[in-house]
Amino acid sequence: MSLLSPEWTSLLYLIAAVCFILALRGLSSPKTARRGNLIGAAGALLAVITVFLSARIENIPAIIIAIAVGSAIAAPISRRVEMTQMPQLVALFNGVGGGAAALVAVLELGSTDSPWSKVAVVFTMLIGAVSFSGSAVTVGKLQGLISSRPLIFPGLAIVMGGIVLAALVAGGFVVATGAAGWAIGLLVLGLLVGALLVLPVGGADVPIVISLLNAFTGLAVAASGIVLGNLLLVVAGTLVGASGTILTRAMASAMGRGVSGILFGAFKGGSTAGSTAQSDRPVRSSNAEDVAVLLNYAQRVVIVPGYGLAVAQGQHTIAELATTLEARGIEVVFAIHPVAGRMPGHMNVLLAEANVPYEALKEMAEVNPEFKNTDVALVVGANDVVNPAAKTSPGSPIYGMPILDVGDARQVVFLKRSMRPGFAGIENELLYDPRTTLLFGDAKDSLTKVLGAVNAL
């Protein structure tokens, strides 16, 4: 017996599903993203309450304990995570979702005799396990626990093919016999597939793989909804799977690469991870006062934010610098590359936190033609997304990736910690251009000094 009738359960699930759809629509635009998040959170809360009230009364204590344990783990992690670690958190939660779907499928294996239901169980187990282990590897790469360079070994493709074949065979035996031993074997093989799928991925491709694994988790959740006969899980999982797939394709397109090339490029020697060596070639460096003079006498300034800005937590300082320049009649806009940072929208969220108006954020296609009329391009903590090697060096691992054309500006100023290459691990020839000036140091400290120098003029 439960506290909620089946009719009310179905109605509340339908309302929650509509909330999820409206949330996705809201997230399609920065202006409505906050509202979309709130609608999605309300839908999730409604879904959890509905599950709670529709459960058998004798199971409610176990549900309360599970919620308490999960909240005790997740809440502190979410509150303490820094903006620079947000991609790791997203990947971690995504992996937990895939792992949960796989475990639910294992528990449901013995309660179904239908071959089609067992097929759904096998699919959920395999995809959920792949998502769990693959997401764990992406967390390790982004956190620096695992090298961001592609990790491969001779015969990797053959080993991977053998494991996938073994997983399919194990899945077939699970459908035919329903034996728990084959199910455990399938889970182990799925975990190996996920790890071996992500380990060869390097450098700037990791955020794209996170998005792909998010789509995998959505598919696993949708399949678990079929196993459990839960329409809400089917709807929610399908939405996540579809949106994750669209986002993955959009990010890959922004990198000028195909999804298959990102996943399997290392098998044939291609990757976006290069050398991490620091160059000793001479460059033109400057101080904060000189940069302030350049900015003060410009008519148009384009700021290009990158991961280094997020690491330094300099978003509030750069927003104040932009406001100060605008007060002097200087046009200031922010150029946003689709894959700047470590996750889609990373720079948008970072600047929104500093109350930078949405109107000041210009997407790549909109801002690129305007660089020719820009006096100063101020690049803060970005490297790969402005690297001309993407256009001029066919042998470069990022060749073909659309970039922000900061080289077209009259003057370019880079704020960098050192001459080490960016996340893709390749040298940027723009740093040695006669029109380029470098200001070395922590981005926030450098911006603070530049702001002080501007105010002193």
Side-chain angles (χ1 to χ4, degrees):
M1 180 179 176
S2 62
L3 299 176
L4 209 61
S5 69
E7 292 78 14
W8 273 104
T9 299
S10 298
L11 177 61
L12 294 176
Y13 277 163
L14 177 61
I15 295 173
V18 171
C19 286
F20 294 154
I21 295 171
L22 293 176
L24 278 179
R25 179 168 181 80
L27 292 172
S28 64
S29 169
K31 294 182 178 180
T32 57
R34 186 183 297 272
R35 184 171 69 240
N37 265 323
L38 291 175
I39 294 174
L45 178 62
L46 177 61
V48 170
I49 293 174
T50 303
V51 170
F52 184 83
L53 295 178
S54 61
R56 296 174 64 89
I57 294 178
E58 58 268 27
N59 293 333
I60 288 181
I63 295 175
I64 293 175
I65 293 173
I67 292 174
V69 172
S71 300
I73 296 173
I77 293 176
S78 300
R79 290 180 64 86
R80 294 175 186 171
V81 69
E82 298 178 2
M83 178 60 67
T84 52
Q85 297 174 323
M86 193 62 67
Q88 291 94 305
L89 183 67
V90 171
L92 179 63
F93 285 170
N94 173 64
V96 169
L103 290 178
V104 167
V106 172
L107 295 175
E108 289 296 315
L109 180 61
S111 62
T112 179
D113 295 322
S114 168
W116 289 111
S117 294
K118 288 183 179 180
V119 169
V121 166
V122 166
F123 181 83
T124 305
M125 290 170 56
L126 180 59
I127 300 300
V130 169
S131 178
F132 177 78
S133 60
S135 297
V137 174
T138 62
V139 172
K141 282 179 173 282
L142 290 174
Q143 194 66 23
L145 303 176
I146 303 174
S147 173
S148 63
R149 295 177 61 79
L151 300 177
I152 58 176
F153 55 84
L156 173 60
I158 297 175
V159 172
M160 179 66 133
I163 294 176
V164 171
L165 180 60
L168 294 176
V169 172
F173 275 102
V174 171
V175 172
T177 66
W182 284 109
I184 294 174
L186 178 62
L187 279 178
V188 173
L189 291 169
L191 293 173
L192 288 174
V193 170
L196 292 178
L197 185 68
V198 180
L199 282 173
V201 176
D205 291 338
V206 173
I208 301 176
V209 175
I210 291 176
S211 177
L212 180 63
L213 292 172
N214 182 56
F216 282 6
T217 295
L219 294 176
V221 170
S224 70
I226 295 175
V227 173
L228 297 171
N230 189 310
L231 181 60
L232 180 63
L233 286 179
V234 175
V235 173
T238 302
L239 289 174
V240 172
S243 59
T245 301
I246 293 171
L247 180 59
T248 301
R249 290 179 59 87
M251 292 178 67
S253 176
M255 292 286 289
R257 310 181 65 200
V259 176
S260 61
I262 290 169
L263 289 176
F264 307 115
F267 288 95
K268 52 186 179 181
S271 168
T272 57
S275 170
T276 58
Q278 182 169 319
S279 174
D280 57 359
R281 294 167 58 186
V283 295
R284 187 171 67 136
S285 61
S286 188
N287 55 40
E289 288 72 22
D290 293 335
V291 173
V293 170
L294 278 177
L295 295 173
N296 190 64
Y297 289 98
Q299 292 183 326
R300 176 181 169 82
V301 174
V302 176
I303 299 174
V304 180
Y307 185 68
L309 178 67
V311 171
Q313 290 292 289
Q315 62 270 28
H316 296 282
T317 309
I318 205 169
E320 186 178 352
L321 175 62
T323 302
T324 300
L325 294 175
E326 288 171 341
R328 301 188 179 194
I330 301 169
E331 181 186 1
V332 181
V333 298
F334 291 80
I336 308 298
H337 191 281
V339 294
R342 294 292 185 269
M343 63 186 295
H346 199 170
M347 295 300 102
N348 301 70
V349 174
L350 189 73
L351 296 173
E353 184 183 325
N355 295 317
V356 175
Y358 289 126
E359 295 73 19
L361 308 183
K362 304 293 183 181
E363 300 296 331
M364 181 173 59
E366 181 182 2
V367 76
N368 266 349
E370 301 175 357
F371 275 111
K372 294 179 180 179
N373 300 317
T374 297
D375 297 299
V376 180
L378 182 63
V379 184
V380 186
N383 189 79
D384 300 325
V385 296
V386 300
N387 194 333
K391 291 185 175 182
T392 60
S393 302
S396 168
I398 64 169
Y399 182 71
M401 181 182 82
I403 62 169
L404 291 165
D405 296 328
V406 298
D408 292 341
R410 298 183 180 96
Q411 294 287 331
V412 181
V413 177
F414 273 85
L415 270 58
K416 288 179 64 67
R417 280 184 174 271
S418 68
M419 288 300 294
R420 291 180 65 86
F423 195 56
I426 55 176
E427 199 167 61
N428 189 341
E429 288 295 326
L430 186 59
L431 299 176
Y432 311 100
D433 190 285
R435 294 169 297 132
T436 298
T437 299
L438 279 80
L439 178 58
F440 291 107
D442 175 83
K444 184 176 182 179
D445 290 342
S446 295
L447 288 168
T448 301
K449 292 176 182 178
V450 170
L451 177 60
V454 168
N455 287 327
L457 292 175

